[in-house]
Amino acid sequence: MLAVILPSAYAAVRQVFSPELRGLFWRTIGFTLLLLGLLWYGLTQGLSAIVAAHPVSADYPFVNAALVFLAGAGLLVGLLYILPVTSALVAGFFLDEAAGAVERKDFPADPPGKPISLGKSIGYGLRFAALALAVNLAALMLIFVPGVNIVAFFAANAYLLSREYFEMAAGRFRPLEEARRLRRENRVTILAAGAVLAGLVLIPVVNLLIPLFGIAFMVHLHKRIAAKRLPAV
């Protein structure tokens, strides 16, 4: 298992910082920050409107302002639970461009993957985002249960990230049902790869690299698994 995961992870790290992907590197980070910023702004504005309509203290406005400020700061921490959702949307948007660049650089002699239409890629991203949102909101409910919250968050995202990123990468070479079958046949290895991605979610700043790293990682992982187990279609 490690003989497949470690070389794939190393190759993905190398490619994320390579000159060939430099432009994509900055675009994925920028898009991720934009989505997070818009989400934070929308939530804080909504909270401000609620407090303005139903003030905690009519006699002391600064109490309401302090409440909004503290809630906004808390939302910054809460965005950690939303990062897999934004990661899914970003990955869906840049899937073909990133996967194609990885394939051309590291697998020039192999037949290229079949491009997935932008609409379909974004559809994958939206489906993934909806699942990630539901699962992470459930994990967020456990925030006041020490130990359990982190374990639930980590386990849920290891599964989701492994499943969706692998199927997006494999989907360039095989029908979705076959990609799912290949994932199920190699579930332990792919879940372990998802644990790497889930671990990165917990590291500030580094977690912004997940969309690009995740695509590159799973492209390499799919290539290695397919070469050993099943021929590409």
Side-chain angles (χ1 to χ4, degrees):
M1 180 172 67
L2 290 179
V4 176
I5 291 176
L6 292 180
S8 299
Y10 173 75
V13 170
R14 173 175 49 79
Q15 285 218 306
V16 163
F17 297 102
S18 68
E20 292 82 3
L21 270 70
R22 187 167 296 154
L24 197 54
F25 172 88
W26 291 114
R27 277 186 286 148
T28 55
I29 289 181
F31 196 24
T32 302
L33 288 173
L34 176 63
L35 289 177
L36 289 172
L38 288 174
L39 181 60
W40 179 83
Y41 179 78
L43 290 173
T44 53
Q45 288 301 302
L47 181 62
S48 297
I50 292 172
V51 172
H54 305 282
V56 176
S57 174
D59 298 325
Y60 300 98
F62 73 89
V63 173
N64 302 313
L67 176 63
V68 172
F69 174 79
L70 291 174
L75 284 172
L76 287 176
V77 177
L79 286 179
L80 175 67
Y81 284 84
I82 305 299
L83 188 64
V85 180
T86 57
S87 166
L89 293 173
V90 175
F93 192 80
F94 292 104
L95 168 62
D96 263 327
E97 188 176 357
V102 171
E103 291 164 15
R104 287 191 298 273
K105 179 68 170 60
D106 281 359
F107 306 97
D110 292 359
K114 182 180 178 181
I116 300 173
S117 69
L118 180 59
K120 195 171 183 179
S121 294
I122 294 176
Y124 283 156
L126 289 172
R127 184 195 66 175
F128 181 13
L131 285 170
L133 181 61
V135 169
N136 282 286
L137 284 177
L140 188 59
M141 297 299 102
L142 300 172
I143 193 169
F144 296 112
V145 184
V148 175
N149 51 2
I150 295 297
V151 172
F153 176 79
F154 182 84
N157 283 291
Y159 172 73
L160 283 174
L161 293 170
S162 66
R163 191 183 88 170
E164 299 299 329
Y165 274 94
F166 183 82
E167 288 182 6
M168 283 195 288
R172 287 171 52 82
F173 292 90
R174 58 192 74 243
L176 182 58
E177 280 306 314
E178 187 178 340
R180 288 174 175 168
R181 179 165 61 88
L182 184 60
R183 176 182 60 80
R184 288 192 294 267
E185 290 175 352
N186 297 273
R187 59 172 58 88
V188 175
T189 297
I190 294 169
L191 185 59
V196 173
L197 296 177
L200 294 180
V201 172
L202 301 173
I203 305 175
V205 181
V206 174
N207 50 22
L208 297 175
L209 302 176
I210 288 175
L212 188 56
F213 174 80
I215 293 170
F217 187 23
M218 291 302 179
V219 166
H220 278 272
L221 193 65
H222 170 256
K223 285 282 187 178
R224 286 177 167 84
I225 288 175
K228 289 184 176 182
R229 302 296 298 274
L230 290 174
V233 173

